[in-house]
Amino acid sequence: MAANQSVTGDHLFTFAKSYASFHGYISICVCVFGIITNIFNIIVLTRRHMSTPVNIILSWLAVSDIITMMSYVPFSMHFYCMYPDVNKTPDKNSKSWMTYMTFHINLAATTHTVSIWLCVLLAIVRFIHIRSPTKAFATRRRRMTQSKVLILLIYVWSAISLIPNYMSNELQENLNPESNETTYVLRDLRLGKNDTDALVLVNVWMYAVTAKLVPCLLMSIFGSLLIYNIHVKIRHRRKVLKISGANSMRLTEHSRTTKMLVSVILLFLITELPQGVLIVCSATVKDFFDTVYLPLGDVMDIVALINNAVNFILYCTMSTKFRETFVHLFCTCHFPHSNESIGYTLTDRLAKLDSHSNNNEHQNHINHVV
């Protein structure tokens, strides 16, 4: 088994070395795209007619994603683009830049934890809404207030719960006796070794369980319930109410919105669940951290960055209300000859969408969010 793991590690290190030469440039492109599109997400989702509990959660999810990618750009530019060599040098591994790396690692762990728990909250809020649609303005406002409070708690709890992790990431000074050069490196956690510090193991297990495995389990449960309940609701309304073609279109839009949110959840599961499993293996399997987890670090990073950047595409392709609001805000000014007609059409359409949402509250229909 050790021999097979060694061979696997050799292949992974070869792949990691080849990919590392491209990772910096790819990650910066993804981050720039993601930062811009997440700013669009925040602008669109915080419009007054877009105000719903789900959209508030999606807005703060975009904030978390922006923080992650803004932190990653200078890290990637320095350690991958300016100094692509894997060897340590005083310029690459200076105290200031290694301090920034420590800050980036801690910040990224926090924002990833925030994002994954926001996605759990997203699934729960949408599930509750489908089971008990909003019937009154007061109820809707109360749910929005509750969502804001829960978002704040997630941000605060994520930062506090990872304090032991922050303390584990320490810098060590290395002096090369031959060149008399000083470099700085992160302290070796010695995961998968016989002499692993007990506090390090506790921190790793807590992070894997609370920031990866448990939220992934909750997302799987509520995501499945979400899919089941929306199909039950649609079948029931089509059969009992004998809805018209126009209402069928509206239900289709509601179903598309739920599918869009399920897609967001699925992307998080694809990104975060394998990381959780790899972290557990790193803590339990000898040398797994050095031979498997570390070589896959850049791949896990780019997958997470892509997940942070693609939500705008999902919203535009799967939500009519989001797409038309975006076009109304950013695109009508580019058509001066037809600006009036386009603006009128989009404004009229948005008014109709708002009207549908209000009618849904009084008629106990599925609310049109996003």
Side-chain angles (χ1 to χ4, degrees), residues 267-278:
L267 284 175
F268 267 93
L269 287 174
I270 294 172
T271 303
E272 303 295 340
L273 184 57
Q275 288 190 29
V277 173
L278 290 175

Side-chain angles (χ1 to χ4, degrees), residues 231-265:
H231 285 299
V232 169
K233 288 278 185 181
I234 290 174
R235 286 200 304 266
H236 175 73
R237 294 185 188 281
R238 283 176 177 168
K239 180 185 293 185
V240 176
L241 302 178
K242 301 184 187 304
I243 57 179
S244 65
N247 284 335
S248 295
M249 184 182 302
R250 281 169 52 194
L251 275 182
T252 300
E253 289 180 356
H254 297 318
S255 177
R256 191 184 299 117
T257 297
T258 300
K259 289 177 182 177
M260 180 195 72
L261 299 180
V262 170
S263 298
V264 173
I265 294 169

Side-chain angles (χ1 to χ4, degrees), residues 307-346:
N307 179 41
N308 293 338
V310 299
N311 285 342
F312 174 78
I313 299 174
L314 286 177
Y315 302 162
C316 282
T317 55
M318 303 185 73
S319 171
T320 301
K321 194 172 183 179
F322 180 94
R323 183 171 59 251
E324 295 191 345
T325 302
F326 174 77
V327 171
H328 180 65
L329 289 172
F330 297 103
C331 299
T332 55
C333 60
H334 297 297
F335 303 96
H337 297 295
S338 57
N339 187 44
E340 184 178 351
S341 61
I342 293 176
Y344 173 79
T345 302
L346 289 174

